[in-house]
Amino acid sequence: MCGECCLSAVLFLSLSVSLSFVPPFVFLLFELQLLQTQSALWMCIVLNPHCKPEQKSSWLRQLRRWNSVDVCPWEDGNHGNELPNLTHSLPQGVHGNQELRPHRTVFTRAIEACDLHWQDRHLQHIIASDLYANYCYHDNQEGSLFDSHGWPLWHEHVPTACARVDALRSHGYPREALRLAIAVVNTLRRQQQRQLEHFRRHKKELLHKGHTSITNMEGWVGHPLDPIGTLFSTLTESGRAGDEGANTCLDLSELQRMPMQRLLGDGESYVALAVETALIGLGQQRVMPDGLYAQEKVCRNEEQLLAKLQEVELDDSLVKIFRKQAVFLLEAGPYSGLGEIIHRESVPMHTFARYLFTSLLPHDAELAYKIALRAMRLPVLESTASSGDLSRPHHIVSVVPNRYPRWFTLSHIESQQCELASTMLTAAKGDSRRLETVLESIQKNIHSSSHIFKLAQDAFKIATLMDSLPDITLLKVSLELGLQVMRITLSTLNWRRREMVRWLVTCATEVGVYALDSIMQSWFTLFTPTEATSIVATTVMSNSTIVRLHLDCHQQENLASSARTLALQCAMKDPQNCALSALTLCEKDHIAFETAYQIVLDAAATGMSYTQLFTIARYMEHRGYPMRAYKLATLAMAHLNLSYNQDTHPAINDVLWACALSHSLGKNELAAVIPLVVKSVKCATVLSDILRRCTLTTPGMVSALQSRRNSGKLMSLDKAPLRQLLDATIGAYINTTHSRLTHISPRHYSEFIEFLGKARETFMMAHDGHIQFTQFIDNLKQIYKGKKKLMMLVRERFG
């Protein structure tokens, strides 16, 4: 806590007391600007070591008044739940039976801290002298005042003890703050050792249960009072006070050169103590708090601490501390966020572990990987999450047993997990054993397909980064991750799925021909039939792939055979979407092509739409199989239904093409297709267009043999099959005319007259067409005589 913040709080307090009320807008401004530090700020004010009782009473009254205002900001920014009183400013031992209180405001801790005092003799001795020690004292009790080295300890709730340190610094007592900070850190180190010993005694019992509980419902990192940050700043920024008690701010290099203090161990420095304190706090197993604000504060506070740690240059003494704390984190069970078993809702250690990993890797790679691999866990996403351990009263289990949907920072947490994995992959390049271990950890612990895909891409880039030969081991890891992505996203929607499939084929190509063959053999577990044919098999059979793999003829044929087998399997499974691709892929193999064509015929009756069949039919004509194209076109026509008013339907061009194809093949083929057209098409303009095209040329004029067979004669409109088509066309015009007249408006009159003109052209193609059309017009005049203006236009045009 800086002096400016403290001064701001005092000025705000003085103004509010003088006005005797707090305007709502002031609270809103105060919340926006100081919400992160208000609890600590007011704690500093009420913990002034030389505060007079009457001043404290006045502040307490004012704080309670503000605390009761409806718009008073809440400490954690969460407005939905109740949390227990966790300040622990009351005598120790009562917190085991805490009762739930209303949600805490930014003033609650300060109100509770008004009960605290500085009269404790042990506390007075700690802050008064560097010489306060008891070297004959044996550290054998839970509440010992001195540790085994004889240095003083201060047993108080850690955030509250650190608030005292902050208050001393803020009120101009840097040397006293430093002494108390060292006592608190020594207490933390002693507590850490006791926790390790306690866990080792109960290790078998805990591991047998397979689950644990949260020992800290209120973690030190992200805490409103920022206890670890306070200790770190005090140890690194405070120096020896001058004769006048003034602050002497030293940089880190100066601190490392300071003479050994009586309260520091052999070879210790303030920086070393600060670093160890930060590692203890960051490694603590603690519950994820409620609310977006509180969860973001945990992440932000952790990143701030790590940024400060990264400013410290590691020397041999600090590396020893890192090793010591890393071993403790791995062995301390429920007291560590990196213990063998952690609670489902404990704060993940990914960001912290990445820092530990990069710091330890040059000095102790084995330990670095143990830390990073242990930290990869994310139990909150596991389907089978165990509940807390209720058997021990001194363990506080989660207040909310199932809060997974309220992990608002989960996306950030998963991205940090991904970053940790990527860091390990990069470091393990060239080490097959390490890579295999990291791969197993990723496959087990990362559940986001997008993040796994990112890791696969990262591994691929690292493996192929150099101009020399790629790292085949890392390439295989990349491929394995890609395969896992395929399995995860096969049955779920992912907008990047097509990109993922294309990338996987590229990766498999880089690995080698056996990888491509493998993914084609097991395609049904990785791809949809459409993906397998349109992307996988097509890419495998492309010239670029063959060139990239440097395949000989025998290898090319084997790979092509696998691709054709895949295509046929996909066509059988999903003929609607894969049949055309299968035919294309099997063009160069007669047996496979015939098999694909038969699959299309078998599926045509029920499993395929007219659009798909017309597309395949056009492909067959293009490939030089007109009779097969005709067969498929007739099958497509059976699925089609064009009503009278669908004169712009997209299938019209296909119908015209099918009729032109049958007309080119001969009279028999045309005679067979016209009944299908009459049955499927009710649109008069389409039928008349087909009719005119059929009368312009002789059917079967595609070869000299067929020309001689048909003698070059045009088909008669008075005989089948064109007579049937002519009658259907005339009938369609009659039906369409009545349909249009039912709900016609004056603005469509001219369009209707033009339509009747086209109808007359068709009527005239019949030998008695003139008589039929005249009767048709007369019927219209009689039936729709009420539409006088329209009938007048009909008379003017048609008599």
Side-chain angles (χ1 to χ4, degrees):
M1 177 62 61
C2 65
E4 292 181 1
C5 291
C6 190
L7 178 60
S8 300
V10 173
L11 290 175
F12 179 80
L13 174 64
S14 303
L15 175 64
S16 302
V17 171
S18 63
L19 295 177
S20 299
F21 73 94
V22 182
F25 77 88
V26 175
F27 264 113
L28 293 175
L29 180 63
F30 201 48
E31 180 176 12
L32 290 172
Q33 294 181 343
L34 299 174
L35 182 57
Q36 294 183 10
T37 58
Q38 281 186 75
S39 293
L41 186 149
W42 290 109
M43 287 282 282
C44 279
I45 294 173
V46 301
L47 283 175
N48 184 348
H50 292 290
C51 175
K52 296 179 181 179
E54 55 270 22
Q55 288 179 310
K56 187 175 288 189
S57 298
S58 175
W59 285 346
L60 181 59
R61 287 193 299 272
Q62 187 63 58
L63 288 169
R64 283 174 174 168
R65 188 183 310 161
W66 288 342
N67 194 62
S68 64
V69 177
D70 290 340
V71 294
C72 181
W74 290 354
E75 183 179 71
D76 61 0
N78 180 27
H79 295 262
N81 294 311
E82 293 183 347
L83 289 176
N85 170 19
L86 295 171
T87 298
H88 295 274
S89 59
L90 299 177
Q92 291 190 3
V94 301
H95 62 274
N97 297 317
Q98 289 173 347
E99 295 179 359
L100 290 178
R101 292 188 181 183
H103 218 292
R104 311 176 65 78
T105 73
V106 293
F107 303 115
T108 304
R109 293 182 188 272
I111 292 171
E112 294 172 349
C114 287
D115 295 332
L116 299 175
H117 58 79
W118 295 86
Q119 279 71 45
D120 186 274
R121 290 183 60 188
H122 184 60
L123 177 61
Q124 288 290 326
H125 285 306
I126 289 173
I127 65 178
S129 173
D130 289 341
L131 303 176
Y132 181 53
N134 188 341
Y135 298 108
C136 298
Y137 194 89
H138 295 288
D139 177 28
N140 56 5
Q141 296 180 11
E142 188 68 28
S144 300
L145 299 181
F146 300 90
D147 64 12
S148 58
H149 300 285
W151 297 331
L153 305 174
W154 179 240
H155 296 282
E156 189 173 31
H157 181 57
V158 173
T160 306
C162 294
R164 289 184 186 272
V165 175
D166 204 6
L168 288 170
R169 291 177 64 209
S170 299
H171 289 283
Y173 302 98
R175 192 61 188 170
E176 289 77 1
L178 181 58
R179 292 173 185 139
L180 181 56
I182 293 173
V184 172
V185 173
N186 285 334
T187 308
L188 291 181
R189 294 198 292 188
R190 177 179 179 275
Q191 181 188 47
Q192 189 181 58
Q193 187 60 38
R194 290 296 182 90
Q195 288 173 343
L196 178 58
E197 293 169 0
H198 180 273
F199 170 67
R200 284 173 175 170
R201 288 195 299 268
H202 299 86
K203 184 175 182 179
K204 289 184 178 180
E205 174 190 348
L206 180 63
L207 295 181
H208 178 72
K209 288 182 178 180
H211 59 80
T212 185
S213 61
I214 294 290
T215 57
N216 291 283
M217 280 296 293
E218 191 180 48
W220 300 332
V221 175
H223 191 281
L225 300 181
D226 190 20
I228 301 300
T230 298
L231 293 175
F232 190 91
S233 300
T234 302
L235 291 166
T236 56
E237 295 175 6
S238 297
R240 292 177 176 175
D243 294 337
E244 295 79 21
N247 242 350
T248 304
C249 295
L250 303 176
D251 61 25
L252 296 180
S253 60
E254 289 174 333
L255 281 169
Q256 288 173 319
R257 294 194 299 268
M258 286 181 64
M260 182 186 71
Q261 302 300 307
R262 183 174 294 276
L263 296 179
L264 297 180
D266 293 340
E268 283 190 331
S269 67
Y270 291 119
V271 170
L273 207 58
V275 168
E276 186 166 12
T277 302
L279 297 180
I280 291 173
L282 289 165
Q284 176 197 40
Q285 183 177 190
R286 54 198 182 272
V287 72
M288 178 67 77
D290 280 319
L292 173 61
Y293 168 79
Q295 292 175 18
E296 286 184 339
K297 188 173 182 181
V298 169
C299 298
R300 188 167 56 251
N301 200 184
E302 181 181 40
E303 290 167 359
Q304 290 168 349
L305 268 174
L306 291 174
K308 292 178 182 178
L309 283 172
Q310 286 169 345
E311 295 175 2
V312 180
E313 184 177 351
L314 294 186
D315 56 21
D316 291 341
S317 61
L318 290 180
V319 170
K320 289 180 181 179
I321 291 174
F322 270 77
R323 280 196 174 113
K324 168 190 168 185
Q325 286 299 322
V327 170
F328 171 82
L329 290 172
L330 291 171
E331 296 181 358
Y335 304 100
S336 164
L338 292 168
E340 288 185 58
I341 300 175
I342 57 174
H343 191 273
R344 179 176 184 254
E345 297 199 25
S346 63
V347 174
M349 297 280 112
H350 308 127
T351 310
F352 176 45
R354 184 155 59 100
Y355 168 73
L356 282 179
F357 177 80
T358 54
S359 301
L360 285 169
L361 189 62
H363 310 284
D364 191 337
E366 193 68 29
L367 183 58
Y369 275 100
K370 282 182 180 179
I371 286 286
L373 291 168
R374 181 72 64 83
M376 279 291 290
R377 301 168 298 184
L378 191 52
V380 76
L381 292 183
E382 300 294 338
S383 57
T384 56
S386 57
S387 59
D389 181 6
L390 300 174
S391 61
R392 302 180 194 175
H394 61 281
H395 283 187
I396 307 175
V397 295
S398 175
V399 173
V400 185
N402 185 14
R403 199 172 58 247
Y404 161 60
R406 299 194 61 184
W407 278 45
F408 300 101
T409 55
L410 186 60
S411 60
H412 171 75
I413 290 169
E414 287 189 285
S415 68
Q416 291 300 303
Q417 182 189 36
C418 180
E419 287 296 321
L420 173 61
S422 181
T423 302
M424 284 194 289
L425 282 175
T426 304
K429 181 181 179 181
D431 189 331
S432 58
R433 183 179 65 86
R434 298 267 192 225
L435 284 173
E436 184 178 353
T437 306
V438 175
L439 173 62
E440 290 175 358
S441 179
I442 292 170
Q443 292 175 325
K444 178 181 177 182
N445 295 299
I446 297 184
H447 303 277
S448 166
S449 58
S450 298
H451 286 123
I452 298 175
F453 184 51
K454 179 184 180 301
L455 288 171
Q457 290 178 307
D458 289 348
F460 183 81
K461 289 177 183 176
I462 298 167
T464 57
L465 193 59
M466 305 299 291
D467 295 332
S468 58
L469 292 175
D471 186 325
I472 190 64
T473 307
L474 194 53
L475 269 179
K476 290 179 179 179
V477 169
S478 177
L479 180 62
E480 283 298 323
L481 292 174
L483 294 175
Q484 185 178 3
V485 172
M486 291 297 100
R487 297 185 192 101
I488 293 174
T489 59
L490 180 59
S491 58
T492 58
L493 295 176
N494 190 302
W495 64 275
R496 298 183 67 188
R497 172 74 183 181
R498 192 170 185 84
E499 175 195 354
M500 293 171 174
V501 174
R502 290 186 182 280
W503 178 89
L504 182 72
V505 178
T506 301
C507 182
T509 303
E510 199 68 30
V511 173
V513 64
Y514 72 91
L516 286 174
D517 190 66
S518 176
I519 65 173
M520 287 192 292
Q521 294 291 338
S522 58
W523 70 267
F524 46 87
T525 65
L526 304 171
F527 315 107
T528 64
T530 304
E531 292 168 347
T533 52
S534 64
I535 301 177
V536 180
T538 303
T539 306
V540 168
M541 295 186 70
S542 66
N543 289 330
S544 60
T545 301
I546 294 172
V547 172
R548 181 73 184 87
L549 292 172
H550 307 291
L551 302 180
D552 57 32
C553 294
H554 179 68
Q555 290 173 321
Q556 288 182 35
E557 179 53 34
N558 288 340
L559 198 62
S561 176
S562 295
R564 287 192 293 267
T565 301
L566 177 150
L568 292 175
Q569 291 173 346
C570 292
M572 293 182 67
K573 192 173 183 67
D574 186 7
Q576 299 93 328
N577 298 310
C578 301
L580 181 58
S581 296
L583 287 165
T584 305
L585 291 166
C586 297
E587 283 177 354
K588 296 181 180 180
D589 187 283
H590 177 71
I591 296 176
F593 187 81
E594 290 296 324
T595 304
Y597 175 65
Q598 190 59 49
I599 290 172
V600 174
L601 293 180
D602 293 342
T606 56
M608 303 187 73
S609 67
Y610 62 84
T611 304
Q612 295 161 339
L613 289 169
F614 274 131
T615 302
I616 298 174
R618 284 176 179 266
Y619 162 80
M620 283 294 184
E621 184 195 32
H622 175 71
R623 295 300 304 165
Y625 299 104
M627 287 306 298
R628 291 185 176 186
Y630 167 76
K631 173 67 173 177
L632 292 171
T634 58
L635 293 172
M637 203 75 72
H639 295 284
L640 182 64
N641 184 21
L642 272 175
S643 63
Y644 75 92
N645 60 349
Q646 291 182 298
D647 50 359
T648 59
H649 194 280
I652 290 174
N653 286 332
D654 289 323
V655 173
L656 295 176
W657 168 82
C659 292
L661 175 65
S662 59
H663 187 277
S664 68
L665 291 175
K667 181 178 179 180
N668 293 335
E669 286 77 9
L670 181 61
V673 85
I674 283 179
L676 295 175
V677 173
V678 170
K679 181 180 179 181
S680 302
V681 180
K682 306 301 179 186
C683 182
T685 54
V686 176
L687 290 170
S688 62
D689 193 4
I690 295 171
L691 183 63
R692 277 193 299 274
R693 293 184 186 209
C694 290
T695 57
L696 291 178
T697 58
T698 301
M701 298 295 288
V702 294
S703 67
L705 176 63
Q706 289 174 323
S707 177
R708 289 193 300 270
R709 185 180 64 186
N710 289 279
S711 303
K713 296 181 180 178
L714 295 175
M715 294 181 68
S716 172
L717 290 172
D718 294 329
K719 298 179 180 178
L722 292 189
R723 179 65 193 185
Q724 181 183 5
L725 180 59
L726 176 60
D727 291 342
T729 306
I730 292 174
Y733 269 114
I734 294 173
N735 293 333
T736 304
T737 299
H738 288 295
S739 298
R740 295 182 68 167
L741 285 173
T742 304
H743 302 288
I744 195 170
S745 62
R747 62 178 178 171
H748 294 131
Y749 283 177
S750 60
E751 180 185 335
F752 177 75
I753 296 301
E754 292 300 320
F755 176 77
L756 285 182
K758 293 180 180 179
R760 180 170 60 179
E761 294 175 4
T762 301
F763 273 84
M764 293 306 152
M765 297 177 74
H767 72 280
D768 57 346
H770 179 74
I771 299 173
Q772 288 189 54
F773 186 73
T774 301
Q775 292 175 346
F776 173 54
I777 294 299
D778 290 340
N779 287 336
L780 293 181
K781 295 175 185 176
Q782 183 64 32
I783 296 171
Y784 302 102
K785 58 184 177 181
K787 301 181 184 293
K788 295 180 180 179
K789 184 176 179 180
L790 178 59
M791 292 303 107
M792 180 183 69
L793 294 174
V794 171
R795 289 190 189 94
E796 289 177 358
R797 180 74 178 270
F798 303 107

